[in-house]
């Protein structure tokens, strides 16, 4: 079934959601010193409509911070027209936006572009199939029913932007959808930080899943001023999403950090069992 939805255009704010590790480059046998010192090739400028986002499926290779070439819609080299993107595998919780890049590898808000370059999909929360919901900040987010493979068609005119989707298959491989960590500025974990420049798996404290309660949990000694969220390494997503909603510890001590998948919810309790943070 193919559905067509109007898309609202508005200002955009988002976190960098993709984790990466620092690579060390070495020179292999037989490679000349001159070749090793050559300047890296410049990254091509982005031009056109792109998917940006995060997820456990196709979007695991996507990025909220950059326009990745393989996530460009196919179509004419123009802002208006009809554009297609095929064979996107989505799992529950995978989220994305569609942005128009005007020749720059930068966020629209950082390059002075207006709201007309950003397509948001909050209206899809009312779609008849129940495949998508408003994932916050205007993101389009797949539901459990929406897991599957999709083709997208983006139609842009001078007055409106619409997105049509066709679910071509419901068959997706069974995978673990959560691997949770506490990320941020933590005094007891000096190498931990917001994902991007560090290896979350080796630098940040992990949460353990209690299969009885279906909650992820970690008991941590936290210092005054520690600032953090929980982070899903499988789909590179923070919880909660958005800005100005980090947990900030005011009193040093033992705390229990919990993330519940079903809600989802993120709570932090002190040693007396009092909730000091809850989302």
């Amino acid at each position: 079934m193919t559905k067509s939805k109007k898309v609202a255009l508005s200002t955009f704010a988002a976190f960098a959601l993709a984790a990466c590790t620092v690579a060390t480059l070495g020179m292999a046998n037989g490679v000349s010193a001159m070749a090793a010192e050559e300047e890296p090739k410049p990254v091509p400028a982005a031009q056109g409509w792109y998917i940006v986002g995060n997820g456990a499926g196709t979007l695991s290779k996507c990025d909220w911070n950059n326009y990745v070439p393989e996530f460009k819609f196919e179509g004419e080299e123009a802002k208006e027209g009809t554009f297609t993107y095929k064979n996107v595998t989505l799992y529950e919780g995978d989220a994305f936006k569609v942005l128009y890049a005007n020749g720059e590898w930068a966020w629209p808000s950082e390059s002075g572009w207006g709201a007309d370059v950003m397509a948001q999909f909050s209206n899809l929360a009312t779609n008849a199939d129940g495949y998508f919901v408003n994932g916050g900040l205007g993101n389009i987010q797949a539901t459990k029913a929406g897991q599957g493979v999709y083709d997208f068609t983006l139609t842009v005119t001078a007055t409106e932007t619409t997105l049509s989707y066709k679910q071509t298959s419901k068959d997706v491989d069974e995978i673990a959808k959560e691997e949770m960590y506490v990320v941020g500025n933590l005094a007891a974990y000096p190498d931990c930080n917001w994902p991007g420049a560090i290896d979350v798996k080796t630098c940040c404290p992990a949460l353990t899943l209690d299969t009885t309660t279906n909650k992820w949990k970690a008991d941590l000694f936290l210092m005054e001023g520690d600032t953090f969220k929980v982070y899903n390494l499988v789909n590179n997503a923070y919880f909660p999403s958005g800005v100005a909603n980090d947990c900030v510890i005011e009193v040093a001590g033992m705390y229990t950090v919990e993330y519940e998948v079903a809600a989802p919810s993120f709570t932090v309790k002190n040693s007396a069992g009092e909730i000091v943070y809850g989302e």
Side-chain angles (χ1 to χ4, degrees):
M1 180 182 296
T2 301
K3 300 292 181 181
S4 181
K5 305 290 180 181
K6 290 186 178 179
V7 177
L9 301 179
S10 61
T11 52
F12 172 75
F15 280 103
L17 296 180
C20 64
T21 57
V22 179
T24 302
L25 300 178
M27 188 168 65
N29 291 335
V31 179
S32 69
M34 181 177 293
E37 294 174 358
E38 288 179 356
E39 290 292 327
K41 294 181 179 180
V43 176
Q47 181 74 41
W49 289 96
Y50 286 79
I51 293 175
V52 296
N54 66 281
T58 303
L59 299 182
S60 64
K61 298 179 181 179
C62 201
D63 193 344
W64 286 105
N65 275 350
N66 295 291
Y67 300 99
V68 181
E70 52 263 46
F71 287 95
K72 181 181 179 181
F73 277 78
E74 295 183 359
E76 296 293 329
E77 293 293 332
K79 183 175 179 181
E80 296 180 13
T82 300
F83 312 92
T84 59
Y85 199 98
K86 296 183 177 182
N87 296 321
V88 181
T89 299
L90 297 177
Y91 286 87
E92 180 184 8
D94 290 4
F96 66 95
K97 279 182 167 64
V98 170
L99 300 184
Y100 181 73
N102 193 17
E104 297 289 339
W105 287 100
W107 283 109
S109 59
E110 295 173 351
S111 56
W113 303 337
D116 60 337
V117 302
M118 289 165 283
Q120 295 187 340
F121 306 97
S122 57
N123 62 299
L124 290 182
T126 59
N127 77 86
D129 295 320
Y131 290 165
F132 303 110
V133 294
N134 178 2
L137 297 175
N139 300 336
I140 180 171
Q141 189 169 52
T143 65
K144 184 175 182 179
Q147 291 190 155
V149 183
Y150 290 85
D151 291 345
F152 291 104
T153 300
L154 181 71
T155 305
V156 183
T157 69
T159 58
E160 66 179 4
T161 302
T162 60
L163 181 72
S164 297
Y165 61 87
K166 181 179 181 181
Q167 190 184 56
T168 60
S169 175
K170 284 184 171 291
D171 294 330
V172 293
D173 295 332
E174 286 296 323
I175 62 170
K177 297 184 180 68
E178 292 93 19
E179 184 179 345
M180 306 302 299
Y181 293 83
V182 175
V183 299
N185 300 316
L186 305 170
Y189 296 83
D191 293 331
C192 188
N193 208 322
W194 303 105
I198 53 98
D199 182 350
V200 172
K201 201 164 189 173
T202 59
C203 297
C204 299
L207 285 80
T208 302
L209 178 64
D210 184 329
T211 55
T212 301
T213 63
N214 204 30
K215 292 182 179 180
W216 291 82
K217 179 180 176 182
D219 294 317
L220 302 171
F221 187 86
L222 299 172
M223 297 296 294
E224 178 183 355
D226 280 359
T227 304
F228 60 92
K229 292 187 175 187
V230 290
Y231 180 79
N232 186 354
L233 190 60
V234 173
N235 65 3
N236 302 320
Y238 290 96
F239 191 85
S241 62
V243 297
N245 54 9
D246 304 342
C247 176
V248 181
I249 297 300
E250 297 181 355
V251 179
M254 287 297 301
Y255 290 87
T256 298
V257 179
E258 286 187 330
Y259 172 77
E260 184 174 3
V261 177
S265 65
F266 165 38
T267 58
V268 180
K269 299 177 182 178
N270 61 21
S271 57
E274 300 167 328
I275 296 176
V276 299
Y277 181 89
E279 277 287 344

